[in-house]
Amino acid sequence: MSAAIVPDHRGRYGDFGGKYVPETIMFALEELEKAFEEAMKNNDFKKLFQKELAVYSGRPTPLTLADRLSETNGGAKIYLKREDLNHTGAHKINNAIGQALLAVRMGKKKIIAETGAGQHGVAAATVAAKYGLSCKVYMGKEDIRRQALNVFRMKLLGAEVVEVTSGSQTLKDATNEAIRDWVASVEDTFYLIGSAVGPHPYPKMVKNFQQVIGLETMDQFSSESGGDLPDAVVACVGGGSNAIGMFAPFIEKEVPLYGVEAAGKGVETDKHAATLSKGSNGVIHGSLTKLLQTDEGQITEPYSISAGLDYPGIGPEHAYLHEKGRVKYEAVTDQESLDALKLLCLNEGILCALESAHAVAYSLKLAKTMDKDKTIVVCLSGRGDKDVHTLMEQAEGGITHE
Amino acid sequence: MSAAIVPDHRGRYGDFGGKYVPETIMFALEELEKAFEEAMKNNDFKKLFQKELAVYSGRPTPLTLADRLSETNGGAKIYLKREDLNHTGAHKINNAIGQALLAVRMGKKKIIAETGAGQHGVAAATVAAKYGLSCKVYMGKEDIRRQALNVFRMKLLGAEVVEVTSGSQTLKDATNEAIRDWVASVEDTFYLIGSAVGPHPYPKMVKNFQQVIGLETMDQFSSESGGDLPDAVVACVGGGSNAIGMFAPFIEKEVPLYGVEAAGKGVETDKHAATLSKGSNGVIHGSLTKLLQTDEGQITEPYSISAGLDYPGIGPEHAYLHEKGRVKYEAVTDQESLDALKLLCLNEGILCALESAHAVAYSLKLAKTMDKDKTIVVCLSGRGDKDVHTLMEQAEGGITHE
Amino acid sequence: MNKRWTDFKNSADYRFVPYIMAGDPCEDATIELSLALEECGAAALELGVPYSDPLADGPVIQRAGIRGLKQKMNLEKTIKLVSKLRERGLKIPVIIFTYYNLLLQLGENRFISLAEENGVDGILVPDLPFEESTYLKEMCSAHHLALISLVAPTTHKEKLHKLAKEAEGFLYCISSLGVTGIRNEFRDGLNDFLKAAKENAAVPVLVGFGLSNREQILQFEGTSDGFIVGSAIVKKIEAMEKELISDREEAVKEFKHFVESMLPVYSR
Amino acid sequence: MNKRWTDFKNSADYRFVPYIMAGDPCEDATIELSLALEECGAAALELGVPYSDPLADGPVIQRAGIRGLKQKMNLEKTIKLVSKLRERGLKIPVIIFTYYNLLLQLGENRFISLAEENGVDGILVPDLPFEESTYLKEMCSAHHLALISLVAPTTHKEKLHKLAKEAEGFLYCISSLGVTGIRNEFRDGLNDFLKAAKENAAVPVLVGFGLSNREQILQFEGTSDGFIVGSAIVKKIEAMEKELISDREEAVKEFKHFVESMLPVYSR
Ligand SMILES: Cc1ncc(COP(=O)(O)O)c(C=O)c1O
Ligand SMILES: Cc1ncc(COP(=O)(O)O)c(C=O)c1O
C-alpha cells in the first residue's frame, strides 16, 4: 500500500487526529510542535535521546525467542520484544525520556502527567527526578485506591499525586484534569502525555519516541534470521503507544500487523475496552478518533482487567490504520489474557504485564494458524510485577474458564 | 598485592571455605565440581551462557552516571552498575541462569533452591520454567507470610514453594532445609544456591557466573573514561554474590574495594547482619567462614531491614579478602540505607533495592571524602519494587532519624 | 445577523451574559432561571449542555453537568428548550455552549437546522479552536448563527487580530488561564490583551472566566463591552437545588436577588 | 582403643546403638534414659548435642535439639554429662554427636582433653566429611578417641573402602539418603553397599538412619554388625516429655518397655 504521509500539517491522519483543545493551549501546541520538529532535526538532541535510552533505561532491549512457548503452543515461532526489561518496567519510559528531554530543551521546569494504573505516572515521575523537573501527576481517586503502591512510588520519586474526583475518577478523568491544569499553567508547564493520544503533535511525537521498539526489532530480527522480516507483528493497544512504536518501521513493509484490544468480559457485553471493534468517531482528549460512547456522545467507561488498556479512546493513527485496513485490530478477553500470561510464565519464566498478555494471547491463536517455520514478533510491552495483586485476587476469586 | 590462587583444590580461601557437608552429598559436590570445570573449558557452554544473559536477561546492563546525585552529595562522581535492569530485577538471575544451564548439561531434571525474601526463589523458578526443569523452593514460614507476592510469583512460574517451619523459620533455616532435601534427593537433583556461599565449588561457581558484572563494568568504565579504572568500587554484601561478581576483575588491580554489610539498627545493638564486622569463624551451610553466633557456636538470627542482607554468614572468599585486607568491609544502618534510597529516587529516578541502597549509602559517604574528579562505581544489585511495601510501612511507622 | 444580535450589538449597556447549565436542576427550572436572568438585564444567555468530559470546565460547572446528565438533558433537548424560552417571551440571543463531541454525534448539519427551527442564535464550542472550525463556521454563517470565538491571553497577536475581525455575535475574551471557575485575581497584561481585542473587533468584546462579584466586573468596564458570569451563578443554583424544584417561584425570586446584587447598578 | 571399644568390638551380639539428645527433656532425664538404654542392651550410646542448625537431622531430632537448647545444654555440658554417667556405672562406649561449628567454638584441642577427662569414647560430626577431618582424626587417634566415620550409599567405592579400613569404633553406614528420621522403605542396592563396607572394615559395621521397628532392624541382621536407632527413640522421649520430668521413675520404666519392644529378642 502506498500511504499518504500522515499526519498532515494539521495533525490529521485521514479524518482522524487534529487539535480539539481550548484556545488557551493552542499556542502551546504550536510551540511544542516547533520545538519537537527542531529537536528532531538536531543531531545532538537525537544522540542525547539515544544515549539516555541506552545508559539509563538499558536499551536495546533483547528480542527473545520463546522456544518452549512456541513448542507447547504449536505453529509459528514466537519472538518477544522485551520492553519489560526497560527501567521502570515498560515501554512507557521511552516516551517519557523523550518528552522530558524536550521539556528541558524548551526550558520548562514543570511537567504534568495523567495516569491510570500509575505506570505512566511512575515513568513521568522518574524522568522528572532524573532531569530535575517538578512533577504533578493526575490520577483518579478510584485508581489511587487500587494502585496504592504506584502512588507511593511516585511520591518517593518526588512527584505530587493529585487526586481526581471528577467524573468516573479514573484515567479518562485524570486526563481531563491534567488538560485542565495545563490550560491554567501552560506558560511554564510541559504536559507529558503517556500514550499516542491527545492533540497534534502528541500522537506523532509519542510515535517518534517509541519507534525505537520497532527499529530495534527489525534489526535484531534481521540479524537473527539473516535479513528476513517476521511474518507477523503483534502488539496490544490501549492508547496505542507501544503498538505504534513497534509498527512504525513495519508499516511500509509487507508485514501483517495486528493490534490487540481488550475485550474485557467480551465485546458482546458492556464490559470491554475494544475501541476499534465497538467504538465510533468522536473527540476525546483533543483528538478526533474512535471512541466508546453513547449515541448522544457521552463518553462511556471502558473495562479491562488490565488498567493500561482500560481507555475509551485510541490514538488517531490507529483509527486511521484501521480504516485503511493496514493493521488488523483484534480483541482478546480478560480470561484469554490471564491464560496467556500463565502459559508464558510456565514456559519461559517471564511474567509479563496483563496488557502485554493480550498481545501474547492473540499471537498464540495466530501462531496456531501458521506453519512452524513462520515467525511472529510480539511486543512484550511491560513486566507483570505490577499485576501480581490482580492475579492473586483472580486466583482467590477462582475465575474459571467460561 | 600478589594473591595466592584461591580457592585451592580443597575449595579453601586461606582458612575459609571447604566442604562441611554430610558424606551423602560429598559425591554430588565432586560431580558438580567436575561438571562445572568442564563446562568452563567448553566454549559452546560459555557462549550459550553469554547468549542467554544477553537475549533473555537483557545484558549488558548499563553503567549510569548518577550526575544529579553526585552533584547533590558533593565529592566524587558516582556511577551505578544497573543490575536492577536484569530480568526479574536483580543480579541473582546471572547466577541462576548459569547454574540452570549447568544442571541441564548434567542431565538433571529437578532443581531445588532456598530463598529468604523470595528474590532468589523467583530467579530459580524463572530459570526452571525457562529450561523446563521442575523446581522446589524452600522458604521459611515467617518469610512466606511477609513475602506473599513473591510466593505467588514462584507458584505462577510453576515452582513448588515448601514452607520451612524449623528453627527461626527464615532464610538460614530454609537453607538448612534445602540442604536436607538435597541430601535425600541428591542423585537426580541440582541444588541451585543463591549466593556465593555454601560448600565448594559453590562460592567459586557463583563468582564465576556473577563476574560478568565486574567485567562489563570494567569495559564500560574504560570506554567512558578513555581507559581508566574507577577510583573505588562499592557493593553490598549479604551472602556476597553481587559483590564478588563486581569485585572479581578488580581484585588484581589497584582499585580500592568496599563491601557494605547491613548494620541494621546499629552494630552496637543485637539487631544487625554485620557478619564481618561482628562475626567470628564458624561453619554455616557447608562452609567455614565468618558468622554471627554465640560463644558456644549457636548461630544467631541476624537482622536487617533488607531481607537480602539478612544472613548470618558470608561467602568464604569475602572472609578471606577481609582477612587479607584487600577489601574493606563497612556497615550501614537501616536508616542510612533508607535515606540513600530516597535520595537516589529523588535525584535519579531510580528506585533501588534496599540491599543496594546500603552500597549507595556508603558510596555517598565515601564520595564526600574524595575529589570531584574522582569516580566511584556502585553495584546497584537490584530494583526496589519488591521493597515498596516495607518502605510504606516505614513511612507509616514514621521512622525518624535516631 | 438577526435582530436579536443587532439589538445586542447596539445596546449601550455594559453587557451581562450569564451562563447556566440546561437541565440544572431540571428543565423547567432552566426555563424560569433564563427568564429571570433576562429580567435581571442579561444581554444574552449561554446555555450549557451536560457532557461527560467537560475539559474546559471547573468543578462547579462539572457538577452542574452531572446534575444535567441525571435529568437526561442532551444537546437536542437543549436546543429544543430554546424554542420553549421563545414561547415564554425570551428576547435575548441564546448561545448553545457544547463540547464538540456532542455536536459531532448529533451531526453538524442537523444541529444547524435544529438551531434555526428553535430560535438559537449562536454556538460556542470550547474545544473547537479556530483551526478546526472551518466547516462549522461556514455552516453557521450560511444560516445566520454566530459561532462564538474565544481568544485567550496566550493567543498569538496575529491570530487575535484575525479572530477579532471575523468574530460574530461577540468576541469572548478569556480573562484568565485555566478552566471556568471563580478567581480571586486576574493576570497582569489583561488590559493590553483586551485593548488589542477591542481595537480589532467588529462585535462587542466580552470578558469571561472567573468573574464572581461586582468589584471584579467593574474592573473591566473601561476595557470591554460586557462580561460573562458562569460559575458564580451556577454555584448559586447548586446551593438552591432543592428549593428550585420544590418551591420554584420563591427560589427564582431569591436567585434574581442574588444576581442583581452582583451586577453593576446600571445594568439592572 | 580402650576397653569399652574392645568389648564393643568383641561382642557377639547384633549391636544396638541408640541415639538420644543431651538435655532432652532435661539433664537428669538424659542420665536415667542412658542407663535404661544400657539395661535394654545398648552396645554403645550416641549422645547428641543441641544445635541451632542441625542440617543432617529430621524434624524429630530437630525438636529434641530445641528442647535441649531450652535447657541450656551445650557441648561442654554434654561431655561433662558423660562423667556423671560413668559415676552411675555406665559401661558402654559413649559417642558425642555434634555439629562441627560447636566443636570449632569449643576448640578441637579443648574437646579432646575434656573428652578424655570425662570418659567419652568417640565423636561423630555429621557435617565433617573425611576430606575436612584430617586434624581432628589425628588428634582423636593420639588420644584414643574414635572419630566415627559415616559412609553413604552415594560414597564412591574407593572412598568407601578407604573409610572402612581406617574406621575406628564402628563404621556408620547410612541406610538411606536424607536426614535422620523414620523411614518406611529402604533403597535397593543397600545390601551391596553394606557388603562392601563389611568386606573392608576392621571394626563392626552398623546401619542407621530411619530404623524404627523390629522388622526393619532384622532386615539388616545378615549384612551388618549392628544398628543405630535415633528418631524412633527420640520420638518416644518427646511423647513422654512431661512424665519424664514429673514422674521419672515410672516414665523410664515405660521407656524401657518401648525400647525392648522394638529390639530383636536376643538383644535383651
Ligand atoms: C505494560 C503496558 N503495556 C501497554 C500499555 C498500553 O499503553 P499503549 O497502548 O500506549 O502502549 C500500558 C499502559 O499503561 C502498559 O503499562
Ligand atoms: C537486590 C539484592 N541485592 C543484594 C542481595 C544480597 O545477596 P548477595 O550478597 O549474594 O549479592 C540480594 C539478595 O537477595 C538482593 O536481592
Side-chain angles (χ1 to χ4, degrees):
Chain A
M1 116 190 191
S2 95
I5 289 178
V6 289
D8 66 17
H9 68 284
R10 290 165 58 223
R12 290 281 176 173
Y13 302 83
D15 286 344
F16 303 105
K19 305 181 191 178
Y20 295 87
V21 296
E23 172 61 23
T24 313
I25 53 178
M26 283 300 286
F27 91 96
L29 293 177
E30 275 160 41
E31 179 188 77
L32 177 62
E33 188 175 354
K34 235 176 80 186
F36 167 65
E37 297 295 347
E38 248 170 44
M40 284 303 114
K41 283 187 201 108
N42 183 299
N43 273 330
D44 288 346
F45 183 85
K46 286 197 287 186
K47 266 192 211 144
L48 177 64
F49 177 50
Q50 293 306 327
K51 185 180 167 202
E52 294 295 279
L53 288 180
V55 303
Y56 186 62
S57 189
R59 302 204 73 91
T61 58
L63 184 68
T64 307
L65 171 60
D67 46 1
R68 293 189 67 232
L69 180 72
S70 309
E71 191 68 28
T72 308
N73 182 60
K77 279 199 283 187
I78 296 172
Y79 284 83
L80 309 170
K81 177 58 175 169
R82 300 290 302 284
E83 294 302 302
D84 60 312
L85 293 178
N86 274 301
H87 181 49
T88 69
H91 70 289
K92 296 273 173 195
I93 196 78
N94 302 326
N95 169 52
I97 291 174
Q99 289 195 45
L101 290 176
L102 193 59
V104 170
R105 187 177 161 85
M106 291 171 72
K108 307 268 175 178
K109 295 264 180 286
K110 301 184 192 172
I111 62 174
I112 54 174
E114 82 293 342
T115 200
Q119 291 311 108
H120 174 59
V122 168
T126 295
V127 294
K130 165 87 178 152
Y131 300 112
L133 305 165
S134 86
C135 178
K136 242 194 254 181
V137 179
Y138 287 88
M139 188 167 184
K141 185 174 177 176
E142 182 54 26
D143 288 334
I144 286 183
R145 195 187 57 73
R146 289 188 290 198
Q147 308 285 339
L149 286 179
N150 270 344
V151 172
F152 185 78
R153 280 173 71 171
M154 289 183 255
K155 289 182 182 166
L156 263 185
L157 290 159
E160 180 190 348
V161 179
V162 184
E163 186 178 83
V164 173
T165 54
S166 59
S168 47
Q169 314 194 335
T170 59
L171 173 59
K172 139 180 116 63
D173 312 286
T175 310
N176 291 337
E177 211 57 45
I179 295 176
R180 288 184 188 119
D181 178 322
W182 200 35
V183 170
S185 64
V186 61
E187 288 160 309
D188 62 355
T189 299
F190 189 101
Y191 178 23
L192 206 161
I193 289 189
S195 190
V197 301
H200 180 68
Y202 279 104
K204 181 179 179 185
M205 184 166 73
V206 174
K207 177 187 186 180
N208 192 296
F209 291 138
Q210 290 290 6
Q211 69 186 352
V212 63
I213 304 175
L215 292 170
E216 281 178 12
T217 301
M218 207 175 221
D219 273 3
Q220 290 166 327
F221 191 88
S222 176
S223 1
E224 170 112 3
S225 66
D228 286 351
L229 290 167
D231 299 304
V233 174
V234 181
C236 69
V237 185
S241 66
N242 89 85
I244 205 70
M246 177 55 118
F247 296 164
F250 293 104
I251 290 176
E252 58 221 44
K253 309 281 176 189
E254 300 258 301
V255 180
L257 304 176
Y258 299 87
V260 186
E261 299 191 306
K265 299 203 186 289
V267 288
E268 71 289 356
T269 71
D270 61 355
K271 293 227 166 275
H272 62 76
T275 311
L276 288 178
S277 311
K278 305 293 277 188
S280 52
N281 288 11
V283 165
I284 183 170
H285 302 141
S287 181
L288 185 89
T289 182
K290 293 280 178 187
L291 57 92
L292 297 175
Q293 56 185 330
T294 65
D295 290 347
E296 288 176 4
Q298 307 295 352
I299 299 177
T300 54
E301 190 60 16
Y303 165 83
S304 165
I305 192 173
S306 76
L309 301 185
D310 197 356
Y311 182 68
I314 188 167
E317 190 167 0
H318 287 290
Y320 170 75
L321 293 167
H322 175 247
E323 196 162 274
K324 300 279 279 184
R326 174 64 191 92
V327 179
K328 270 191 91 171
Y329 292 86
E330 306 280 349
V332 150
T333 64
D334 287 358
Q335 187 62 53
E336 289 170 318
S337 73
L338 284 167
D339 292 345
L341 181 145
K342 287 179 197 158
L343 207 66
L344 181 63
C345 253
L346 286 175
N347 284 282
E348 301 294 335
I350 298 172
L351 172 57
C352 73
L354 273 169
E355 291 80 7
S356 323
H358 284 73
V360 175
Y362 183 72
S363 66
L364 291 172
K365 290 196 221 176
L366 184 64
K368 283 190 183 137
T369 69
M370 292 163 67
D371 282 348
K372 286 215 166 206
D373 58 350
K374 299 291 179 192
T375 53
I376 302 176
V377 174
V378 184
C379 184
L380 215 69
S381 54
R383 59 169 134 94
D385 302 48
K386 69 180 179 62
D387 294 317
V388 174
H389 263 124
T390 306
L391 296 169
M392 281 175 88
E393 276 168 23
Q394 288 294 324
E396 278 159 21
I399 254 210
T400 47
H401 297 247
E402 279 150 300
Chain B
M1 119 193 190
S2 95
I5 287 179
V6 288
D8 66 16
H9 69 282
R10 290 166 58 224
R12 290 284 177 171
Y13 302 83
D15 286 345
F16 303 105
K19 305 181 193 181
Y20 295 88
V21 296
E23 171 61 23
T24 314
I25 52 176
M26 283 300 285
F27 91 96
L29 293 177
E30 277 162 38
E31 179 188 77
L32 177 61
E33 188 174 354
K34 236 175 78 186
F36 166 65
E37 298 294 347
E38 249 170 43
M40 283 303 114
K41 284 187 201 108
N42 184 299
N43 273 331
D44 288 347
F45 182 84
K46 285 199 285 185
K47 267 193 212 144
L48 177 64
F49 178 50
Q50 293 305 330
K51 184 180 168 203
E52 294 295 278
L53 288 180
V55 303
Y56 185 61
S57 190
R59 301 202 73 92
T61 58
L63 183 68
T64 307
L65 170 60
D67 46 1
R68 294 190 67 233
L69 180 72
S70 309
E71 191 68 28
T72 308
N73 182 60
K77 278 198 285 187
I78 297 173
Y79 286 83
L80 309 169
K81 177 60 176 167
R82 300 290 302 284
E83 293 303 302
D84 61 312
L85 293 178
N86 274 301
H87 181 51
T88 70
H91 70 290
K92 296 272 173 196
I93 196 78
N94 301 327
N95 170 51
I97 291 174
Q99 290 196 43
L101 290 176
L102 192 60
V104 169
R105 188 177 159 86
M106 290 170 74
K108 307 268 174 176
K109 296 263 179 287
K110 298 185 193 173
I111 62 174
I112 54 175
E114 83 292 342
T115 200
Q119 291 310 106
H120 174 58
V122 168
T126 295
V127 295
K130 165 88 178 149
Y131 301 112
L133 305 164
S134 86
C135 178
K136 242 195 256 183
V137 179
Y138 286 89
M139 189 167 185
K141 185 174 175 174
E142 183 54 25
D143 288 333
I144 286 183
R145 194 187 57 72
R146 289 189 289 198
Q147 307 286 341
L149 286 180
N150 269 344
V151 172
F152 184 78
R153 280 173 72 169
M154 290 183 254
K155 288 182 183 166
L156 262 186
L157 290 159
E160 180 190 348
V161 179
V162 185
E163 184 179 83
V164 173
T165 55
S166 59
S168 47
Q169 315 193 334
T170 59
L171 173 59
K172 139 181 116 64
D173 312 285
T175 310
N176 291 338
E177 210 60 43
I179 295 176
R180 289 183 188 119
D181 178 322
W182 200 34
V183 170
S185 64
V186 60
E187 289 159 309
D188 62 355
T189 299
F190 189 101
Y191 179 24
L192 205 162
I193 288 189
S195 189
V197 300
H200 181 69
Y202 279 104
K204 180 178 179 186
M205 184 165 76
V206 173
K207 177 186 186 180
N208 191 295
F209 291 139
Q210 290 290 7
Q211 69 185 352
V212 63
I213 303 174
L215 292 170
E216 282 178 10
T217 300
M218 208 175 220
D219 273 4
Q220 289 165 328
F221 191 88
S222 176
S223 1
E224 170 112 2
S225 66
D228 287 349
L229 289 167
D231 298 304
V233 173
V234 181
C236 69
V237 185
S241 65
N242 88 85
I244 205 70
M246 177 54 119
F247 296 164
F250 293 104
I251 289 177
E252 58 221 44
K253 309 283 176 186
E254 300 258 301
V255 180
L257 304 176
Y258 299 88
V260 185
E261 299 190 308
K265 300 200 185 289
V267 290
E268 70 288 357
T269 72
D270 61 355
K271 294 230 165 273
H272 64 75
T275 310
L276 287 178
S277 312
K278 304 293 277 187
S280 52
N281 288 10
V283 165
I284 183 170
H285 301 142
S287 182
L288 185 88
T289 183
K290 294 279 179 190
L291 57 93
L292 297 175
Q293 56 184 329
T294 66
D295 291 347
E296 289 175 3
Q298 307 296 351
I299 299 177
T300 54
E301 191 60 15
Y303 164 83
S304 165
I305 193 173
S306 76
L309 301 184
D310 195 359
Y311 182 69
I314 188 167
E317 189 166 3
H318 287 290
Y320 170 75
L321 292 168
H322 176 245
E323 196 161 274
K324 299 280 279 184
R326 174 61 191 95
V327 178
K328 270 191 89 172
Y329 292 86
E330 305 280 350
V332 150
T333 64
D334 287 357
Q335 187 61 54
E336 289 171 317
S337 72
L338 283 167
D339 292 345
L341 180 143
K342 286 178 199 159
L343 206 66
L344 181 63
C345 254
L346 285 175
N347 285 283
E348 300 294 335
I350 297 173
L351 172 58
C352 74
L354 273 168
E355 291 80 6
S356 323
H358 285 73
V360 175
Y362 183 72
S363 66
L364 291 171
K365 290 197 221 178
L366 183 63
K368 283 190 183 136
T369 70
M370 292 163 68
D371 282 347
K372 285 214 166 206
D373 59 347
K374 299 290 179 191
T375 52
I376 301 176
V377 174
V378 184
C379 184
L380 213 70
S381 55
R383 59 170 134 94
D385 301 46
K386 69 180 180 62
D387 294 318
V388 174
H389 262 123
T390 306
L391 296 170
M392 281 176 87
E393 278 168 24
Q394 289 294 324
E396 279 160 21
I399 252 207
T400 47
H401 297 247
E402 280 150 305
Chain C
M1 262 212 275
N2 65 22
K3 170 152 188 331
R4 288 187 291 265
W5 279 125
T6 318
D7 289 350
F8 178 85
K9 188 172 175 187
N10 294 339
S11 165
D13 281 355
Y14 186 42
R15 293 164 193 81
F16 163 47
V17 177
Y19 168 102
I20 59 173
M21 178 68 77
D24 173 29
C26 65
E27 186 173 327
D28 286 345
T30 302
I31 293 175
E32 301 305 329
L33 291 167
S34 302
L35 294 167
L37 285 163
E38 184 174 44
E39 282 168 37
C40 290
L45 175 69
E46 278 187 31
L47 212 46
V49 185
Y51 183 47
S52 56
D53 292 74
L55 56 68
D57 287 309
V60 171
I61 295 186
Q62 286 173 39
R63 288 196 300 269
I66 292 170
R67 291 191 295 273
L69 282 173
K70 281 208 191 104
Q71 298 291 318
K72 306 215 186 306
M73 183 50 62
N74 61 23
L75 177 52
E76 184 163 346
K77 285 192 200 161
T78 304
I79 300 168
K80 291 183 173 162
L81 206 157
V82 178
S83 106
K84 293 182 196 166
L85 290 173
R86 298 299 176 210
E87 276 166 29
R88 294 282 302 273
L90 191 87
K91 299 209 162 51
I92 53 175
V94 177
I95 302 117
I96 302 288
F97 181 110
T98 179
Y99 284 87
Y100 188 54
N101 195 46
L102 300 178
L103 191 60
L104 207 58
Q105 302 317 309
L106 184 68
E108 292 173 74
N109 295 341
R110 180 146 166 72
F111 170 79
I112 298 285
S113 53
L114 277 173
E116 277 191 314
E117 276 166 36
N118 290 283
V120 169
D121 303 289
I123 179 168
L124 195 165
V125 189
D127 59 345
L128 190 73
F130 171 74
E131 289 78 353
E132 302 289 0
S133 65
T134 320
Y135 181 74
L136 185 62
K137 200 165 169 64
E138 271 170 27
M139 293 289 292
C140 283
S141 272
H143 293 81
H144 307 291
L145 288 170
L147 176 61
I148 305 293
S149 299
L150 288 117
V151 289
T154 54
T155 304
H156 286 305
K157 242 195 197 128
E158 308 82 73
K159 187 173 172 189
L160 170 60
H161 295 172
K162 182 180 161 66
L163 288 180
K165 283 205 183 84
E166 295 181 6
E168 295 188 10
F170 58 85
L171 181 66
Y172 194 137
C173 291
I174 296 171
S175 53
S176 58
L177 301 192
V179 294
T180 61
I182 293 160
R183 297 286 187 293
N184 290 322
E185 280 183 39
F186 294 94
R187 39 191 293 135
D188 298 340
L190 197 56
N191 280 344
D192 291 350
F193 160 57
L194 292 174
K195 220 165 125 193
K198 265 191 76 78
E199 275 168 20
N200 289 278
V203 292
V205 169
L206 274 62
V207 286
F209 270 57
L211 278 66
S212 61
N213 59 48
R214 188 179 294 178
E215 210 183 327
Q216 288 177 338
I217 291 167
L218 284 174
Q219 204 180 313
F220 298 110
E221 206 198 330
T223 42
S224 70
D225 305 312
F227 57 94
I228 298 144
V229 181
S231 297
I233 289 176
V234 172
K235 205 171 171 186
K236 182 67 185 173
I237 294 172
E238 178 169 56
M240 297 174 62
E241 180 179 359
K242 280 216 188 83
E243 298 84 328
L244 278 167
I245 291 171
S246 61
D247 184 9
R248 187 165 304 135
E249 202 165 323
E250 205 50 43
V252 169
K253 261 189 217 156
E254 186 188 330
F255 174 74
K256 279 175 71 172
H257 194 73
F258 166 82
V259 173
E260 281 166 357
S261 74
M262 67 184 286
L263 294 181
V265 182
Y266 53 79
S267 274
R268 290 214 195 132
Chain D
M1 263 215 277
N2 65 23
K3 172 156 186 325
R4 288 189 289 267
W5 279 125
T6 320
D7 289 352
F8 178 85
K9 185 170 179 183
N10 293 340
S11 165
D13 281 355
Y14 185 44
R15 294 165 191 78
F16 162 49
V17 176
Y19 167 103
I20 60 173
M21 178 67 77
D24 173 27
C26 66
E27 184 172 329
D28 286 347
T30 303
I31 294 174
E32 302 305 328
L33 291 168
S34 302
L35 295 167
L37 284 164
E38 184 174 44
E39 282 170 35
C40 290
L45 175 69
E46 278 186 31
L47 212 46
V49 184
Y51 183 48
S52 56
D53 292 76
L55 57 69
D57 288 310
V60 171
I61 293 183
Q62 286 174 39
R63 288 195 300 268
I66 292 170
R67 291 191 295 274
L69 281 174
K70 280 209 192 106
Q71 297 292 315
K72 305 214 186 307
M73 183 51 62
N74 61 23
L75 176 53
E76 183 163 346
K77 287 192 197 160
T78 303
I79 300 168
K80 290 181 172 163
L81 206 158
V82 178
S83 105
K84 294 181 193 166
L85 289 173
R86 296 300 175 211
E87 277 164 30
R88 294 282 302 275
L90 191 87
K91 300 212 161 50
I92 52 176
V94 177
I95 302 117
I96 301 288
F97 181 109
T98 179
Y99 284 87
Y100 187 56
N101 196 45
L102 300 179
L103 192 59
L104 208 58
Q105 303 315 312
L106 185 68
E108 291 173 76
N109 294 341
R110 178 143 168 76
F111 170 79
I112 297 284
S113 54
L114 278 172
E116 277 191 316
E117 277 166 32
N118 290 281
V120 169
D121 303 288
I123 179 169
L124 194 163
V125 188
D127 59 345
L128 191 72
F130 170 74
E131 288 79 352
E132 302 288 0
S133 64
T134 321
Y135 181 75
L136 186 63
K137 198 163 170 68
E138 270 169 28
M139 292 289 291
C140 283
S141 271
H143 294 81
H144 307 291
L145 288 169
L147 174 62
I148 304 294
S149 299
L150 288 119
V151 290
T154 53
T155 305
H156 286 305
K157 239 193 196 131
E158 309 83 73
K159 185 174 173 188
L160 171 59
H161 294 173
K162 182 179 159 68
L163 288 179
K165 282 204 182 86
E166 296 180 6
E168 293 187 12
F170 58 85
L171 181 68
Y172 193 138
C173 291
I174 294 170
S175 55
S176 57
L177 301 192
V179 294
T180 61
I182 293 159
R183 296 287 187 292
N184 290 321
E185 279 183 38
F186 294 94
R187 39 190 290 134
D188 298 341
L190 196 57
N191 280 344
D192 292 349
F193 160 58
L194 292 174
K195 218 164 130 196
K198 264 191 78 77
E199 276 168 17
N200 289 277
V203 292
V205 169
L206 272 62
V207 285
F209 271 56
L211 277 68
S212 62
N213 59 45
R214 188 180 291 177
E215 209 184 327
Q216 288 177 335
I217 291 166
L218 284 174
Q219 203 180 313
F220 297 110
E221 206 197 331
T223 43
S224 71
D225 304 312
F227 56 95
I228 297 144
V229 182
S231 297
I233 288 174
V234 172
K235 203 170 173 187
K236 181 67 186 173
I237 294 171
E238 177 168 57
M240 297 173 63
E241 180 180 359
K242 281 217 187 84
E243 299 84 326
L244 278 166
I245 291 172
S246 61
D247 185 9
R248 187 166 306 133
E249 202 165 324
E250 203 52 40
V252 171
K253 261 189 213 152
E254 187 189 328
F255 173 75
K256 280 175 70 172
H257 194 74
F258 166 82
V259 173
E260 281 164 356
S261 75
M262 67 182 286
L263 295 180
V265 183
Y266 52 77
S267 274
R268 296 216 192 132

